[in-house]
Amino acid sequence: MRIGLCGVGNVGSALVELFRENRFEIDRRLVRSISLEQVACRSDSPECDLSGLSVTKDVFAITDNPALDVVVELIGGTDVAKSLVLQAMRNGKHVVTANKALIALHGAEIFSVAREMGVKIFYEASVAGGIPIIKALREGVAGNVINRIAGIVNGTSNYILSEMSGARGDQNFVAVLAEAQKLGYAEADPSFDVDGIDAAHKITILAMLGFGASVNFESVHVEGLSHISLDDLKLVDELGYCLKPLGIATKRCDQLSLRVHPCMVEKNNILSKIGGVTNAVLVDGDPVGEILLVGPGAGGPATASAVMSDLIDLSRGADLPNQGFLELRETSVYSIDELICSVYIRVDVKNQNGVMASVTGILEKNDIGIEAIIQKEVNERVARIAIVTSETKERIINESLSELSSLSAMVVPPQKIRIF
Ligand code: HSE
């Protein structure tokens, strides 16, 4: 099986090295031998040794090379990447990609061309880096009805929140993001990480695989990290929670709920222990129950490990449906307004008598229970109140936040964080 590689960046160079370093182990797991023949690399000074390989600057020289059987797409983005993947498949080649945006946004078209051409498109590396979550959903729990998939699927956001909440709690967001970029975790455009878009791409793919649903990426409710302050992180900690960047896909009465946002997780929940760039995906299936897969979610070597596993599967001639199901069903997604969960509400109010009663009065009027409450004096003029509510419909919470905002004692608009 002759392989052409498009893109020799962080992941591509780790893959080239993996071919050399683990050659013995890889060879003994293959059914057909595999060889990396040609690479497309735009840089004149690649991050790895490309000697012995045919090198081109043109990715379409790879898709159109009749001597190749498989194209590995590691250039990222959705424009050139989509054209090259479609062209490779139309030329009868199998494709392996790490490109979550491509699968999340154009999966339907890509899978349909793959079916038409009788080729495979494998994408293990597109979700949660080195964790074999695609294989787990497509194969390991294939006998289950999946009810929920939830977890930390963006390593950069988890790294940022962990660093901001941990021993280095004085670190600001910008400094920690710069570190994540330097370590090779972040996307080329890091707003994809911190605004939740990368995680939304991944949750779209997981929902498709887990529920057999054709998922429109636009239907995922997405919130990023930018509104999270160090003050909130301290209060979250004091209330007994950790803040985690979660992607959550659930199925309820044949409807899906798809959301990505920072979420408070109780300190005794295992997800709260997952720090740094590590990812964790929890799958709740019937009859298996809950399984949790944990591992490095970003970085060249971990992602290359996932790409290599797809190449080995291809060499074995695995006849796996690309989408995990032969057909995906149209499934409606319910609005975030209908979500029922507990939330944290933080208000900064004028430090004067009777304000606490006005705040709790609004919650009481809207039938929102209070599970925990903390009040602190910020200074002589401002008091801060943090509340954990009972489970309530999001629409009611939002209406209550509007009412709180209009209190004359409100100093800054209230903050809300959902609880897992
Ligand atoms: N930027 C991504 C992350 C890389 O931080 O998780 C892996 O998809």
Side-chain angles (χ1 to χ4, degrees):
M1 206 175 75
R2 285 156 306 194
I3 297 159
L5 165 65
C6 299
V8 193
N10 194 19
V11 180
S13 50
L15 184 69
V16 172
E17 274 157 23
L18 184 53
F19 263 101
R20 295 204 177 102
E21 280 163 22
N22 280 10
R23 191 74 244 189
F24 176 74
E25 282 302 322
I26 291 166
D27 280 352
R28 56 195 201 111
R29 291 180 165 113
L30 297 171
V31 172
R32 282 164 79 192
S33 71
I34 64 177
S35 64
L36 182 59
E37 303 271 326
Q38 193 177 23
V39 299
C41 174
R42 273 185 312 185
S43 164
D44 289 322
S45 46
E47 292 170 36
C48 63
D49 174 12
L50 297 181
S51 56
L53 298 168
S54 155
V55 182
T56 170
K57 282 196 183 330
D58 176 14
V59 288
F60 292 96
I62 306 259
T63 60
D64 295 348
N65 180 347
L68 299 175
D69 306 299
V70 180
V71 171
V72 179
E73 182 277 303
L74 298 178
I75 63 169
T78 48
D79 295 334
V80 179
K82 182 180 172 198
S83 308
L84 96 81
V85 162
L86 291 176
Q87 185 146 331
M89 293 194 299
R90 291 204 169 103
N91 286 340
K93 300 180 198 313
H94 302 295
V95 171
V96 172
T97 179
N99 194 328
K100 52 254 166 166
L102 185 67
I103 302 295
L105 300 178
H106 304 292
E109 181 180 352
I110 288 170
F111 294 131
S112 133
V113 173
R115 219 172 10 250
E116 187 189 319
M117 296 306 304
V119 295
K120 295 284 166 209
I121 168 137
F122 284 173
Y123 46 93
E124 181 61 68
S126 66
V127 181
I131 303 177
I133 182 64
I134 303 292
K135 285 185 204 313
L137 284 172
R138 195 176 49 198
E139 300 156 46
V141 295
N144 286 257
V145 172
I146 305 299
N147 300 312
R148 178 167 74 157
I149 304 167
I152 299 164
V153 289
N154 183 267
T156 302
S157 310
N158 199 33
Y159 182 81
I160 292 172
L161 287 182
S162 307
E163 292 293 315
M164 285 173 69
S165 319
R168 298 166 50 201
D170 56 337
Q171 291 292 309
N172 72 39
F173 186 91
V174 176
V176 184
L177 172 60
E179 260 180 42
Q181 287 178 284
K182 210 163 111 201
L183 292 165
Y185 302 151
E187 295 301 295
D189 175 354
S191 68
F192 275 58
D193 297 292
V194 297
D195 292 341
I197 301 160
D198 176 79
H201 288 146
K202 293 165 177 168
I203 216 72
T204 301
I205 297 171
L206 295 182
M208 171 189 78
L209 273 164
F211 305 129
S214 98
V215 177
N216 177 358
F217 170 70
E218 302 298 330
S219 63
V220 184
H221 176 86
V222 188
E223 290 171 26
L225 306 180
S226 51
H227 61 292
I228 301 296
S229 68
L230 286 171
D231 287 335
D232 284 316
L233 285 170
K234 283 183 192 138
L235 284 166
V236 163
D237 177 68
E238 212 170 305
L239 286 161
Y241 295 85
C242 288
L243 194 63
K244 291 288 160 198
L246 294 194
I248 304 172
T250 45
K251 196 168 174 190
R252 193 179 73 185
C253 308
D254 268 342
Q255 276 199 312
L256 301 183
S257 160
L258 304 169
R259 52 197 171 104
V260 167
H261 51 77
C263 201
M264 283 163 56
V265 179
E266 278 180 7
K267 282 185 186 167
N268 62 7
N269 183 305
I270 190 150
L271 287 177
S272 74
K273 316 272 188 276
I274 310 296
V277 71
T278 307
N279 281 194
V281 188
L282 189 134
V283 178
D284 182 359
D286 182 16
V288 70
E290 280 192 350
I291 59 168
L292 181 72
L293 288 94
V294 180
T303 313
S305 153
V307 172
M308 185 60 86
S309 75
D310 279 344
L311 291 172
I312 293 173
D313 269 357
L314 279 173
S315 92
R316 291 167 169 166
D319 192 14
L320 300 162
N322 292 320
Q323 315 158 120
F325 289 77
L326 288 179
E327 271 180 33
L328 300 182
R329 264 198 238 142
E330 289 295 325
T331 312
S332 60
V333 175
Y334 64 86
S335 156
I336 191 81
D337 285 345
E338 302 304 311
L339 180 76
I340 296 171
C341 75
S342 296
V343 298
Y344 154 101
I345 294 172
R346 189 255 302 154
V347 291
D348 283 5
V349 287
K350 287 183 189 153
N351 196 353
Q352 60 195 30
N353 289 346
V355 173
M356 173 68 104
S358 324
V359 170
T360 55
I362 289 176
L363 300 186
E364 190 189 344
K365 178 171 77 68
N366 291 326
D367 205 17
I368 301 174
I370 294 176
E371 310 254 315
I373 190 160
I374 296 178
Q375 181 180 353
K376 296 203 175 277
E377 191 174 82
V378 177
N379 55 45
E380 271 178 21
R381 283 170 294 112
V382 179
R384 178 164 294 153
I385 303 170
I387 295 167
V388 172
T389 73
S390 58
E391 289 199 335
T392 307
K393 204 172 252 194
E394 175 106 358
R395 187 169 39 76
I396 311 282
I397 293 284
N398 289 343
E399 285 166 8
S400 307
L401 294 182
S402 301
E403 287 183 49
L404 287 170
S405 296
S406 58
L407 283 177
S408 60
M410 196 58 54
V411 175
V412 287
Q415 169 73 283
K416 168 186 83 184
I417 304 176
R418 298 181 193 85
I419 301 179
F420 186 53

